[in-house]
């Protein structure tokens, strides 16, 4: 099968306009996004299918869509979400290919799988609930209300999947969303958003529940942060955008960076640990924020663990090859005290075979992960490498392994993994690392309900503390109090007439 190239953004816009011309009433006055504000005379942005050049237009359209959605109640939300789910699942292969071709990182099969999984399993209206306090003084109901228009920033590592997950959960809570995607994943983001909106518009008559800035820049991101029509920000990305969102003048839900460490102690089932580490670290070439990034192994089982990794299919690099790869894969960025190691763009998200060749080893078909022994001061250890090479550090004992794991996580409090059959060691690590996700005896993805219990989201709010986001994350509490009535328990004699 040939790989389809992501359509040029102008092509997407042309398709939208063509669809509109054939579907919309003659008076609708369709205009090209960015050329004029809105369809003349209608006072509405219906027909844009979410594609905007201007933040002002996108937010206005999103506010209109929010007001329309409010009128359709929970059933309207459910119908809209069902279209997003269906398209993410049915078009996963085509959209996954587009994402792969456009972003040039990760693995095609996982681009497709991520869309399917988020379409199927992102938390929707079933997560909505109210709480009740009933007692001598009547009834208080806590309702979870929408904020309105949410401004979202999405990463290149999962451009459309993050939008899918965000859209399902945000709309389930009754909100609408304007997305400023990563510039390197903007085309597939626009194509997905266009498809979602076209289907929703056709079915329930609301367009622009999900809006997107077609030509995103840092300026448009900042304009979105500061727009008075945006009531809440949700940012998914690395340190710079996380910092920017935390400094914004309104509430932000920040799904920030991680550098998940793994500890393997002397009680672990080493073959099981090796299979889990390879699965998690190799998934989409290590692009997941939760993916295993460095491994600390107790010395008494270190050599056996390395052998288990090879048995499970990973390729071990020798010391010279590790050095060669390190020089090519990790580069320095920033100035002065801010100078720090970062992954080299040419190798970020690339296949394990390519990394093997860069290291001077031979790759092979189906190779998922390369690994090697390093010192704790190798730059792969502190760096969120986002490529399928794992440094393994030999540690005196489990206490040293946990301490080094803690240091390498940088206090992001994102994700940590241990392979152990000692609940005491699990407890020690859980307490010290204090991470949002803590996985024991499984691949990192188990922390998102894939091979473990629980639910999935690709926005795991770490510094702001909301955790794996659900519709309730995107709500504000409202309390409705009725004094002295509707608590139907107790004696009728106690009612004051
Ligand atoms: P990135 O930080 O380069 O970009 C993320 C988004 O932020 C993009 O849309 C980008 O254009 C925007 N951006 C970057 N700097 C900005 C600034 N100063 N102001 C406003 N916007 C800015 O990250 P990426 O390479 O796209 O994604 C990988 C990073 O995201 C990793 O650090 C990973 O851990 C993190 N991530 C976290 C989660 C989570 O749930 N916590 C999920 C996915 C990815």
């Amino acid at each position: 099968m040939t790989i389809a190239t992501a359509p040029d953004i102008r092509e997407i816009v042309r398709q939208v306009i063509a669809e509109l011309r054939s579907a919309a009433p003659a008076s609708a006055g369709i205009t090209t996004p960015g050329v004029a504000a809105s369809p003349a005379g209608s006072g509405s942005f219906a027909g844009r299918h979410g594609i905007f050049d201007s933040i002002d237009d996108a937010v206005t359209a999103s506010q209109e869509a929010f007001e329309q959605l409010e009128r359709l109640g929970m059933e309207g939300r459910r119908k809209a979400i069902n279209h997003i789910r269906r398209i993410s699942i049915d078009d996963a292969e085509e959209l996954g290919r587009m994402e792969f071709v456009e972003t040039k990182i990760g693995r095609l099969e996982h681009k497709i799988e991520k869309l399917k999984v988020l379409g199927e399993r992102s938390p929707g209206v079933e997560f909505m609930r109210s709480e009740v306090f009933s007692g001598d003084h009547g009834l208080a109901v806590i309702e979870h209300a929408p904020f309105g228009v949410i401004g979202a920033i999405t990463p290149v590592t999962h451009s459309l999947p993050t939008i899918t997950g965000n859209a399902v959960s945000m709309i389930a809570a009754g909100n609408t969303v304007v997305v400023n995607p990563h510039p390197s994943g903007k085309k597939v983001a626009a194509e997905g958003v266009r498809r979602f909106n076209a289907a929703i518009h056709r079915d329930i008559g609301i367009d622009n529940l999900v809006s997107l800035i077609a030509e995103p820049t840092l300026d448009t991101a900042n304009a979105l942060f500061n727009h008075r029509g945006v009531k809440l920000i949700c940012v998914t990305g690395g340190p710079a955008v996380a910092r920017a969102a935390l400094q914004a003048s309104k509430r932000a839900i920040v799904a920030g960076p991680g550098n998940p460490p793994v500890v393997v102690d002397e009680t672990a089932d080493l073959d099981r640990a090796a299979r889990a580490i390879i699965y998690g670290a190799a998934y989409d070439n290590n692009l997941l924020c939760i993916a295993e990034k460095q491994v600390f192994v107790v010395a008494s089982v270190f050599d056996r663990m390395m052998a288990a990794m090879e048995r499970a299919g990973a390729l071990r690099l020798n010391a010279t090859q590790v050095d060669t790869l390190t020089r090519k894969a990790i580069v320095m960025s920033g100035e002065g005290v801010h100078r720090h190691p970062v992954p080299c763009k040419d190798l970020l998200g690339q296949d394990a075979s390519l990394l093997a060749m860069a290291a001077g080893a031979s790759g092979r078909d189906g190779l998922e992960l390369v690994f090697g022994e390093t010192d704790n001061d190798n730059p792969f250890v502190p760096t969120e490498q986002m490529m399928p090479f794992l440094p393994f550090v030999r540690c005196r004992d489990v206490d040293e392994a946990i301490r080094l794991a803690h240091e390498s996580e940088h206090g992001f409090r994102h994700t940590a993994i241990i392979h152990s059959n000692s609940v005491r060691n699990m407890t020690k690590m859980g307490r010290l690392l204090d991470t949002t996700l803590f996985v024991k005896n499984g691949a990192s993805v188990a922390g998102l309900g894939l091979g473990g219990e629980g639910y999935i989201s690709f926005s795991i709010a770490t510094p702001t503390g909301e955790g794996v986001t659900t519709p309730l994350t995107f709500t504000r509490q409202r309390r409705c109090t009725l004094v002295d009535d509707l608590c139907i328990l107790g004696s009728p004699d106690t009612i004051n007439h």
Side-chain angles (χ1 to χ4, degrees), residues 309-324:
M309 289 293 292
E310 288 187 277
R311 266 200 305 283
L315 175 72
R316 182 174 182 174
L317 301 182
N318 64 32
T320 314
Q321 291 164 341
V322 169
D323 284 349
T324 307

Side-chain angles (χ1 to χ4, degrees), residues 103-183:
T103 60
K104 304 181 184 65
I105 53 175
R107 285 166 62 181
L108 176 58
E109 67 267 39
H110 296 149
K111 300 283 178 229
I112 296 168
E113 191 174 71
K114 287 191 298 185
L115 279 169
K116 281 192 178 146
V117 168
L118 284 160
E120 282 164 3
R121 300 178 60 169
S122 289
V125 288
E126 67 284 0
F127 271 68
M128 296 303 293
R129 58 176 160 72
S130 305
E131 289 96 46
V132 172
F133 290 80
S134 164
D136 293 350
H137 286 298
L139 198 65
V141 182
I142 315 292
E143 304 272 26
H144 297 276
F147 274 87
V149 177
I150 299 177
I153 307 276
T154 52
V156 67
T157 44
H158 335 284
S159 183
L160 188 54
T162 308
I163 295 174
T164 297
N166 279 178
V168 167
S169 285
M170 290 170 182
I171 293 171
N175 303 287
T176 54
V177 55
V178 177
V179 181
N180 199 68
H182 193 292

Side-chain angles (χ1 to χ4, degrees), residues 118-300:
L118 284 160
E120 282 164 3
R121 300 178 60 169
S122 289
V125 288
E126 67 284 0
F127 271 68
M128 296 303 293
R129 58 176 160 72
S130 305
E131 289 96 46
V132 172
F133 290 80
S134 164
D136 293 350
H137 286 298
L139 198 65
V141 182
I142 315 292
E143 304 272 26
H144 297 276
F147 274 87
V149 177
I150 299 177
I153 307 276
T154 52
V156 67
T157 44
H158 335 284
S159 183
L160 188 54
T162 308
I163 295 174
T164 297
N166 279 178
V168 167
S169 285
M170 290 170 182
I171 293 171
N175 303 287
T176 54
V177 55
V178 177
V179 181
N180 199 68
H182 193 292
S184 302
K186 66 185 179 186
K187 292 179 192 169
V188 67
E191 180 58 13
V193 162
R194 185 188 70 78
R195 290 183 192 197
F196 296 160
N197 283 306
I200 296 168
H201 191 202
R202 251 193 320 271
D203 184 15
I204 63 172
I206 307 179
D207 200 0
N208 308 313
L209 283 179
V210 188
S211 298
L212 178 122
I213 303 305
E215 294 297 338
T217 61
L218 287 186
D219 287 343
T220 55
N222 286 324
L224 190 62
F225 283 171
N226 294 313
H227 198 290
R228 57 198 298 267
V230 172
K231 304 299 182 206
L232 178 72
I233 298 167
C234 177
V235 158
T236 307
V241 70
R243 255 192 315 274
L246 289 168
Q247 285 161 6
S249 56
K250 62 189 63 154
R251 180 161 171 229
I253 292 164
V254 179
N259 193 36
V262 185
V263 165
V264 181
D265 78 5
E266 61 280 11
T267 69
D269 174 338
L270 301 182
D271 285 310
R272 176 178 170 166
R275 284 193 301 274
I277 290 170
I278 293 172
Y279 187 78
Y283 194 87
D284 209 16
N285 283 344
N286 200 255
L287 292 182
L288 298 188
C289 58
I290 57 168
E292 292 80 351
K293 298 287 192 294
Q294 58 280 344
V295 187
F296 301 92
V297 186
V298 169
S300 59

Side-chain angles (χ1 to χ4, degrees), residues 304-353:
R304 283 194 280 137
M305 183 63 203
M306 299 301 262
M309 289 293 292
E310 288 187 277
R311 266 200 305 283
L315 175 72
R316 182 174 182 174
L317 301 182
N318 64 32
T320 314
Q321 291 164 341
V322 169
D323 284 349
T324 307
L325 181 63
T326 307
R327 277 196 302 278
K328 292 183 180 168
I330 308 289
V331 295
M332 296 305 286
S333 168
E335 297 299 328
V337 287
H338 301 296
R339 201 162 166 72
H340 63 285
V342 294
C344 157
K345 284 215 164 64
D346 293 344
L347 292 179
L348 190 150
Q350 300 309 309
D351 288 346
S353 274

